[in-house]
């Protein structure tokens, strides 16, 4: 009898049109609140944009702050007088006053870097997976911390691939876009920098990557001031191949730039290399490393081989995980080799069940370079490579 009364009451409640609408509205409101909470938690982990204005001389961040452009400052850092290398016999000369053409090219290269950042961010947003209910709640918790590890270089060495591979690890949270805090946006302050970071839980590592840090003279002191315990990762690659790749990137966006050969030499007849060209200067790894060793001990810097990152990604990722003090979770089972791209891809990207390869801005076909020019560059880099091998205690086999 009591059961019948309950059923009758529920039926009467549901059969009332007004009450039916109220119940439906209540259910919809609860669903809306849940979706809003999930969205807030997910969005808080998305990388914040740091976008350089192309029309004005200022930088605009996602949090609405504006600062004067670091273009002039960055140029001075890239062309800063390096430490003397008296123990290296080479025809290396300190960068002299740049010609108008080379200054324009450097400006173009910086614009290309910014455009590349945009391309990477668009790819990041396009492949961002829909969050599950559990991951949304998890992402909404935790706190934003300054990075404990930073990929500081080098440009066109394989830094994007390394970061994408590392993000598969559940104990690594990383910003997608390059913050450029320690070179372009330092005046914004550490709290601004912290806000760019994703939220992390206890035991997780916060990371970012900005390859230009390695060649920025002020970066070591600034990172050390943030934390002397910061772990640094440098992806290095054959400096000749790296320079050609650097040129290829610029050429893809600016087809009217001078030839690689004409930019390489100050004087083709004498064979004197133009070290003021950033594509050449970046590859003098020993010179840049010397600056970092004034602030960080060698044991806090890990050098990843860009070549082995392609031929043996699991092996290099194993070294990185050990360096970061993490369990080796990323293994061979996470990779497959893409014959078209010519480099490894992830079977399952972070937060996705689908395979993922780096975007169209990666793996460009290099132009044909005069073999004599390539050999001249190899001769130029050889003493610096030898010095670098000696400093790191590792022979990367570029000679």
């Amino acid at each position: 009898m009591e059961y019948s009364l309950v059923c009758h009451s529920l039926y009467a409640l549901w059969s009332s049109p007004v009450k039916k609408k109220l119940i439906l509205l209540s259910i919809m409101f609860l669903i809306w609140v849940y979706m809003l909470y999930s969205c807030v938690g997910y969005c808080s982990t998305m990388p914040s944009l740091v976008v350089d204005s192309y029309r004005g001389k200022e930088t605009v961040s996602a949090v609405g702050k504006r600062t004067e452009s670091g273009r002039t400052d960055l140029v001075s850092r890239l062309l800063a007088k390096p430490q003397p290398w008296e123990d290296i016999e080479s025809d290396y000369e300190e960068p002299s006053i740049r010609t108008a053409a080379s200054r324009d090219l450097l400006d173009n290269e910086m614009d290309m870097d910014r455009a590349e950042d945009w391309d990477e961010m668009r790819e990041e947003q396009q492949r961002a997976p829909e969050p599950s209910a559990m991951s949304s709640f998890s992402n909404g918790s935790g706190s934003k911390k300054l990075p404990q590890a930073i990929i500081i270089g080098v440009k066109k060495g394989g830094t994007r691939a390394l970061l994408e591979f590392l993000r598969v690890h559940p104990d690594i949270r990383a910003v997608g876009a390059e913050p450029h805090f320690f070179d372009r946006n330092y005046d914004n302050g550490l709290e601004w920098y912290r806000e760019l970071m994703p939220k992390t839980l206890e035991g997780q590592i916060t990371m970012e990557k900005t390859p230009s840090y390695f060649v920025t003279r002020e970066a070591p002191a600034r990172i050390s001031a943030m934390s002397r315990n910061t772990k640094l990762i440098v992806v290095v690659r054959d400096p000749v191949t790296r320079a050609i790749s650097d040129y290829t990137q610029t050429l893809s966006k600016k087809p009217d730039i001078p030839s690689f050969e004409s930019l390489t030499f100050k004087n083709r007849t004498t064979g004197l290399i133009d070290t003021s060209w950033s594509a050449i200067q970046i590859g003098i790894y020993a010179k840049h490393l010397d600056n970092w060793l004034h602030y960080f001990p060698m044991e806090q810097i890990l050098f990843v081989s860009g070549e082995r990152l392609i031929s043996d990604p699991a092996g290099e990722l194993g070294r990185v995980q050990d360096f970061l003090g993490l369990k080796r979770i990323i293994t061979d089972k996470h990779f497959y080799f893409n014959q078209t791209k010519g480099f490894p891809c992830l079977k399952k990207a972070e937060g996705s069940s689908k395979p993922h390869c780096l975007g169209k801005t990666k793996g460009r076909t290099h132009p044909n370079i005069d073999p004599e020019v390539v050999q001249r560059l190899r001769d130029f880099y050889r003493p610096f490579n030898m010095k670098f091998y000696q400093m790191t205690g590792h022979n990367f086999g570029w000679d």
Side-chain angles (χ1 to χ4, degrees), residues 250-382:
T250 307
L251 183 67
S252 69
K253 304 289 178 72
K254 203 80 174 177
D256 57 343
I257 63 172
S259 68
F260 181 86
E261 289 83 351
S262 63
L263 291 167
T264 298
F265 297 102
K266 285 184 177 180
N267 187 315
R268 181 67 187 268
T269 304
T270 62
L272 187 62
I273 303 295
D274 187 358
T275 56
S276 65
W277 183 26
S278 64
I280 299 296
Q281 192 178 110
I282 290 172
I284 309 175
Y285 303 139
K287 175 176 74 74
H288 304 302
L289 176 57
D290 185 70
N291 186 34
W292 286 88
L293 292 179
H294 285 95
Y295 299 90
F296 291 92
M298 188 63 79
E299 55 266 24
Q300 269 180 246
I301 309 175
L302 178 70
F303 295 92
V304 175
S305 167
E307 288 82 10
R308 280 195 290 276
L309 196 58
I310 294 175
S311 63
D312 182 21
E316 286 301 285
L317 266 292
R319 292 179 61 240
V320 177
Q321 291 171 94
D322 291 345
F323 175 70
L324 296 175
L326 298 174
K327 183 180 178 181
R328 286 199 177 196
I329 290 178
I330 307 171
T331 61
D332 284 323
K333 68 180 182 180
H334 288 89
F335 302 99
Y336 73 95
F337 192 83
N338 186 303
Q339 297 292 343
T340 304
K341 285 278 188 181
F343 50 72
C345 301
L346 288 169
K347 291 181 180 178
K348 293 182 180 180
E350 177 202 25
S352 173
S353 60
K354 298 180 180 179
H356 172 64
C357 280
L358 298 181
K360 62 182 180 179
T361 63
K362 307 302 178 184
R364 299 184 181 97
T365 302
H366 291 179
N368 292 322
I369 307 297
D370 185 339
E372 290 185 7
V373 175
V374 173
Q375 186 56 50
R376 181 68 192 89
L377 276 175
R378 294 209 176 280
D379 294 339
F380 166 78
Y381 278 120
R382 186 170 294 109

Side-chain angles (χ1 to χ4, degrees), residues 56-74:
K57 292 185 177 181
E58 59 182 11
T59 301
V60 182
S61 75
V63 294
K65 296 186 179 179
R66 294 169 181 253
T67 60
E68 289 300 315
S69 172
R71 170 172 295 190
T72 303
D73 196 28
L74 182 57

